Amino acid sequence: MAVWDDVVGQDRVTEQLAAAARDADALVTAEHAGAGHGAGRPEPEPSADRVASQMTHAWLFTGPPGSGRSTAARAFAAALQCVSPDRALGGAPGCGFCDGCHTTLVGTHADVEIVRTDLLSIGVKETRDLVRRSSLSPAGGRWQVIVLEDADRLTEGAGNVLLKAVEEPAPRTVWLLCAPSVEDVLPTIRSRCRHLSLRTPPVGAVADVLVRRDGIEPEAADRAARATQGHIGRARRLATDERARARRAAVLKLPLRVDDIGGCLKAAQELIDAAGEDAKQVAEEVDTKETEELRAALGAAAGTGGRLPRGTAGAMKELQDKQKRRSTRTQRDSLDLALVDLTGFYRDVLALQMGAPVPLANDEVRDSIHRIATASTPERTLRRIEAVIACREALDRNVAPLLAVEAMTAALRAG
C-alpha cells in the first residue's frame, strides 16, 4: 500500500507531492553518490534544475476541516524518508512498507517531528524548541522533517520565531505546515511556502476508505460519510463511537425544541452541558495520569497527596494551567462540532425548500427536516443558518459560551 492511499480525493495534490518526493530522492541520492567519490571529486548533478522546480524546503497545506491536510503532510514526510530498494529500479518513493515509510506513518521516525496541540495556541517556547531541532542534520533518515499540524494556532510571537527558520532553513530540513486557509498563517510565512490547497473529499471516497482501512460495514460507512459531508475524521468517529452518534442525534432534535423561550434556554444549557461533559471525560482520562507522572518525577509519592519538594510548585502550576487550557479547547471543539451538525440540518431543510437535487446529509431525521421545511420559508432558513454561523464566530471571539448559544437558539426560534 503506497503512502498516498489514505490521501482521499486529492489526486492533483498527490501528483504534485509524488513529483516533489521523486526530486527530493534524486537530490539526496546525488549527494550520497558525490560523497562516495571522495574528497576533491565533483558531485554529480543530474537533476539539479528539476529538483529546484519541484522540491522546496517549506510547504503549506490548506483545506477545510476533514479534507486530510495532516494526512497528506504525513504521507509526504513518509515519501521523503522512503528507503525502498525499488527506487534504484525506477520505483517511486513512498512505498508504504519500508522502514522509513512505516516508522514515519506510525510516528516513531527519529527525523520526523509531528507537532499538534490540544491547547488553544502554540507559544514562543514550543516554537523555539522546534526551530532548534530544525537546525540539526538528519540522524539517520534522508531529511529532517517537521510537520506542524496546527500552524493556525501559532501566536504572533511564535510565528515570528518560526519565520527565521523558514527563511533560512538547514540544507536537509523540510517544514510541512497545515492550516484551514492561507489567511490563518502570517503573510511573511506563507509567502515563503509552496501552497497546496485540498478540497473536501467526495462522500463515496470517504466511505470507501472507512471500509478498506477501518473495516466498517459498507452501509454504516456510507451513512457516516454522508452525515459528515466528507469529513474523514468525523466520519470515522461517527461510525465507530456510539456516544458520538447519541450526541449527534440529540443535536438534530434541537430545531424542534425551540418553540418558546423556555425551550430555547433549556436547549442551550444542554448543549453547553454536553460540551462540558466531553471536557470532563478528557480530564479524567488524561489529567490524573499527567499529574501523577509529574509528581513522581518531582519526587512526591504517587497517589499520597503528599507535599511537593521545595521549589517545584511552579512546575505543577504550569501543568495545571496547561490542563485548564486543554479543557477549554475540548469544550469549544465539542460545542463547535454540535453547531456544524446543526448547520447540516438546516442545509437539508433549505435543500428541500428549494427542490435541490442533492441527497440529504441527515436522512435519518427526514421527517423532522420535512416538518421544519414546510413550516417556514427559505429566507427564514437562511437566517437560521446565519445565526449558527454567528454563534461560531462569537465563540471564536471568546464570548461566554452560554450567552452565545442562548442568543443562537432565540434566533432559531424567531427565524
Side-chain angles (χ1 to χ4, degrees), residues 72-94:
R74 284 174 179 246
F76 186 39
L80 292 176
Q81 303 292 9
C82 183
V83 292
S84 169
D86 292 343
R87 293 174 299 110
L89 303 175

Side-chain angles (χ1 to χ4, degrees), residues 324-344:
K324 183 177 180 180
R325 293 195 300 272
R326 180 170 58 209
S327 177
T328 300
R329 177 176 174 182
T330 301
Q331 184 174 6
R332 288 185 182 180
D333 287 349
S334 177
L335 189 55
D336 189 68
L337 183 58
L339 297 179
V340 169
D341 287 333
L342 196 56
T343 305

Side-chain angles (χ1 to χ4, degrees), residues 83-390:
V83 292
S84 169
D86 292 343
R87 293 174 299 110
L89 303 175
C95 65
F97 296 102
C98 70
D99 183 67
C101 288
H102 176 71
T103 54
T104 299
L105 293 176
V106 300
T108 60
H109 197 293
D111 293 316
V112 179
E113 180 82 2
I114 307 292
V115 183
R116 68 178 69 85
T117 183
D118 50 10
L119 305 179
L120 294 173
S121 62
I122 300 174
V124 171
K125 180 181 178 182
E126 302 96 311
T127 308
R128 282 181 178 151
D129 290 340
L130 284 179
V131 170
R132 221 173 353 253
R133 167 160 183 163
S134 73
S135 64
L136 303 175
S137 297
R142 300 169 71 78
W143 296 88
Q144 177 81 252
V145 184
I146 300 176
V147 181
L148 186 54
E149 292 189 356
D150 299 297
D152 55 307
R153 295 188 182 273
L154 289 166
T155 64
E156 184 175 355
N160 290 329
V161 170
L162 179 63
L163 176 60
K164 187 67 174 178
V166 173
E167 280 182 325
E168 301 175 4
R172 296 269 290 280
T173 294
V174 181
W175 288 89
L176 307 179
L177 312 182
C178 305
S181 69
V182 292
E183 286 76 19
D184 292 311
V185 181
L186 287 178
T188 48
I189 291 179
R190 67 183 186 237
S191 66
R192 290 160 175 81
C193 298
R194 182 165 297 168
H195 178 217
L196 294 176
S197 179
L198 283 71
R199 66 189 182 105
T200 299
V203 168
V206 174
D208 288 343
V209 80
L210 292 180
V211 173
R212 171 177 53 82
R213 184 182 60 191
D214 301 303
I216 297 169
E217 291 296 324
E219 183 178 347
D222 181 70
R223 186 166 53 248
R226 187 177 63 252
T228 57
Q229 290 296 286
H231 190 301
I232 301 172
R234 287 182 56 210
R236 184 187 301 113
R237 182 185 177 196
L238 197 61
T240 58
D241 187 347
E242 179 62 35
R243 198 167 69 94
R245 291 194 290 272
R247 287 283 173 85
R248 181 172 176 275
V251 170
L252 295 181
K253 293 177 182 177
L254 185 145
L256 298 177
R257 301 176 54 204
V258 293
D259 291 336
D260 53 54
I261 291 298
C264 293
L265 298 180
K266 184 177 180 181
Q269 186 63 61
E270 288 178 359
L271 275 184
I272 297 298
D273 291 344
E277 186 62 31
D278 283 343
K280 181 180 178 182
Q281 183 181 19
V282 171
E284 290 175 349
E285 294 173 353
V286 180
D287 290 6
T288 302
K289 181 181 178 181
E290 283 183 343
T291 301
E292 291 300 330
E293 288 178 349
L294 181 58
R295 289 179 64 85
L298 295 176
T304 65
R307 297 185 61 181
L308 290 167
R310 181 174 299 176
T312 61
M316 184 61 68
K317 178 66 165 56
E318 183 177 350
L319 175 62
Q320 291 170 347
D321 290 342
K322 174 185 174 182
Q323 292 172 343
K324 183 177 180 180
R325 293 195 300 272
R326 180 170 58 209
S327 177
T328 300
R329 177 176 174 182
T330 301
Q331 184 174 6
R332 288 185 182 180
D333 287 349
S334 177
L335 189 55
D336 189 68
L337 183 58
L339 297 179
V340 169
D341 287 333
L342 196 56
T343 305
F345 179 95
Y346 285 114
R347 170 263 190 197
D348 286 346
V349 171
L350 187 62
L352 279 186
Q353 291 172 330
M354 301 299 294
V358 296
L360 298 184
N362 304 284
D363 193 62
E364 68 273 23
V365 291
R366 176 181 287 270
D367 290 344
S368 299
I369 293 170
H370 188 268
R371 177 178 167 183
I372 298 292
T374 55
S376 64
T377 63
E379 292 78 14
R380 294 184 67 187
T381 302
L382 284 172
R383 286 196 293 269
R384 285 166 172 157
I385 292 175
E386 290 170 354
V388 180
I389 294 173

Side-chain angles (χ1 to χ4, degrees), residues 2-11 13-14 17 61 67-76 198 201 205 209 212-213 232:
V3 296
W4 314 111
D5 287 356
D6 286 344
V7 185
V8 182
Q10 312 291 344
D11 293 343
V13 169
T14 54
L17 293 177
F61 297 78
S67 57
R69 300 184 301 260
S70 60
T71 301
R74 284 174 179 246
F76 186 39
L198 283 71
V209 80
R212 171 177 53 82
R213 184 182 60 191
I232 301 172

